[in-house]
Amino acid sequence: NEEKLKELLENFEKRPFIIFSDGFIKDFLPKPFLKSISIDSNCDELIDNNKKLKKLSLVPKELIFENIDNLKEEVFLDYIKNSKSFKKATNIITKNSINRLTNSVTDGLYYVKENFLDEEIDIYFAYDGISKEFIEEIFDVISKRGFGKDKSTGKGKFSFKIDWDFKEKEYFTTKRDKYLNLSTMLINKENMLLYYGKTLTKFPKAGGFYANSHPFKNPIICYIPGSTFIVNSSILGRAEKRAFNKENHYQNGYSIGIYFNGE
C-alpha cells in the first residue's frame, strides 16, 4: 500500500530497499567494457574478429565466471566465431490515427512493428529490509497487471520464478579488484571510479496516474550494463530526485553487479 511505500522511500537516497539489474537473455550477461586488444594491422582475421567483438553486447555468463580472476578482451575473441544469434519474431500492428487536439480517431491507419523475443529473461536483484514474501507478492501483482508502456492494452503480462539460492551468488558479494555493472545506473563519484564504460541519455517516463498528470521526467545520463568500475563500497550508484522534481519520487539509479579481477 501507499503508506508502506512511503516508509520504504524515507531512506532511499542513502540505503535502497531493492536494486534491480537490467534484463538479459537467460544464461547471458553483458560483455564487459575492458582494455582494448592491440591488433597486428597485417592480420585480417584478427581485425575482422575485433570488429565483431566491439559489436558484441551479450556473452554466456559461464564465460565470465570461468575467467573471473583474469577477465580480459582476449577471453571473448574465441567466442566470437560461434556466437549465438537470438530468435526474434516480428508482427505488424495496425493502429488508428488520433487527432491530439480533439482526442478523437481520424481517417487513416498507421503501422507499427512489434518485436517478440523467443527467449527467457534473467533479472538479478538485491534487497534489504523487506521480506521474500513481500517481494513475491509484488512480482505476482505486476505479472498479472502487466509491465511496460502497453500494459493498458493487455500486454506486458509475464510468468516468473525467483531462484533465491542461484549458484553464482558468490560473484556478487566476494570483493575483487573491479566491478561489472549490470544495471542502467547513475554514477556516484564518491565511491566508484570509471574503468571502461558507455553512457546513454535516458528520458524516463512516469506511469499510472502520473502518466497523465506529470508524464515526463528530466533527462539523466546513465552508465549502461557492461560498464566497469573500481569501487570502494557495497552500495553503488545513486537515486536521483531531480529527475521527477516531486517530493518522495526517485529515479532508481543504483547498481547491482559482479566483482572480477582483470587488466
Side-chain angles (χ1 to χ4, degrees):
N1 57 40
E2 187 173 351
E3 292 305 315
K4 176 65 175 179
L5 179 59
K6 287 180 178 178
E7 178 185 332
L8 291 170
L9 288 173
E10 282 183 2
N11 297 309
F12 193 67
E13 284 183 288
K14 295 180 179 179
R15 193 166 189 86
F17 60 90
I18 196 160
I19 302 171
F20 289 98
S21 76
D22 284 24
F24 309 110
I25 302 297
K26 183 175 176 59
D27 295 327
F28 280 70
L29 286 173
K31 180 196 166 295
F33 287 93
L34 299 169
K35 182 179 179 180
S36 299
I37 299 171
S38 177
I39 299 295
D40 186 342
S41 60
N42 294 319
C43 184
D44 292 338
E45 183 179 0
L46 276 177
I47 292 174
D48 185 52
N49 285 340
N50 193 48
K51 289 180 180 177
K52 293 178 181 178
L53 184 63
K54 290 181 178 179
K55 296 178 181 179
L56 189 65
S57 59
L58 293 175
V59 295
K61 63 181 183 180
E62 290 303 323
L63 195 61
I64 292 177
F65 296 141
E66 288 170 0
N67 297 277
I68 200 73
D69 287 312
N70 190 25
L71 203 57
K72 51 187 178 180
E73 286 285 78
E74 286 84 353
V75 167
F76 304 107
L77 269 179
D78 289 338
Y79 169 71
I80 287 294
K81 297 177 182 179
N82 300 304
S83 59
K84 179 182 177 181
S85 60
F86 302 110
K87 300 175 183 177
K88 185 172 65 173
T90 300
N91 280 356
I92 303 297
I93 308 297
T94 304
K95 295 190 176 184
N96 290 314
S97 299
I98 296 176
N99 185 322
R100 298 298 178 184
L101 296 177
T102 63
N103 200 30
S104 61
V105 175
T106 62
D107 291 335
L109 301 171
Y110 69 97
Y111 303 91
V112 176
K113 281 187 178 181
E114 290 191 350
N115 295 323
F116 300 88
L117 197 60
D118 188 22
E119 302 284 346
E120 293 182 26
I121 300 296
D122 285 337
I123 296 175
Y124 301 88
F125 64 90
Y127 63 100
D128 178 48
I130 54 178
S131 67
K132 292 180 179 179
E133 292 75 20
F134 179 71
I135 293 171
E136 289 176 339
E137 180 183 343
I138 296 301
F139 266 98
D140 186 57
V141 170
I142 296 173
S143 70
K144 292 175 180 176
R145 290 185 177 179
F147 177 80
K149 67 177 183 178
D150 290 327
K151 67 178 182 180
S152 60
T153 64
K155 297 180 180 179
K157 296 181 180 180
F158 59 91
S159 60
F160 69 95
K161 178 182 178 182
I162 301 178
D163 184 358
W164 297 104
D165 297 302
F166 65 102
K167 64 179 182 178
E168 300 94 358
K169 187 179 290 188
E170 63 173 292
Y171 300 115
F172 290 78
T173 55
T174 303
K175 297 294 188 296
R176 292 180 169 85
D177 290 347
K178 299 177 181 70
Y179 176 82
L180 169 59
N181 166 52
L182 301 183
S183 308
T184 299
M185 61 149 285
L186 299 168
I187 192 170
N188 183 342
K189 295 182 179 180
E190 293 181 1
N191 59 22
M192 49 197 320
L193 175 66
L194 178 64
Y195 188 55
Y196 291 97
K198 184 177 180 180
T199 60
L200 66 81
T201 300
K202 184 176 177 66
F203 295 85
K205 297 179 181 179
F209 167 77
Y210 292 107
N212 293 321
S213 63
H214 196 146
F216 300 109
K217 302 179 186 178
N218 296 322
I220 51 178
I221 297 176
C222 305
Y223 279 91
I224 67 172
S227 298
T228 54
F229 299 86
I230 299 171
V231 300
N232 60 10
S233 173
S234 57
I235 299 178
L236 300 165
R238 59 184 172 86
E240 179 58 79
K241 270 188 173 181
R242 292 172 296 178
F244 202 72
N245 287 337
K246 196 170 182 65
E247 187 66 24
N248 291 327
H249 287 70
Y250 298 92
Q251 178 66 41
N252 188 343
Y254 286 107
S255 169
I256 185 172
I258 294 166
Y259 296 91
F260 70 95
N261 292 327
E263 294 182 352

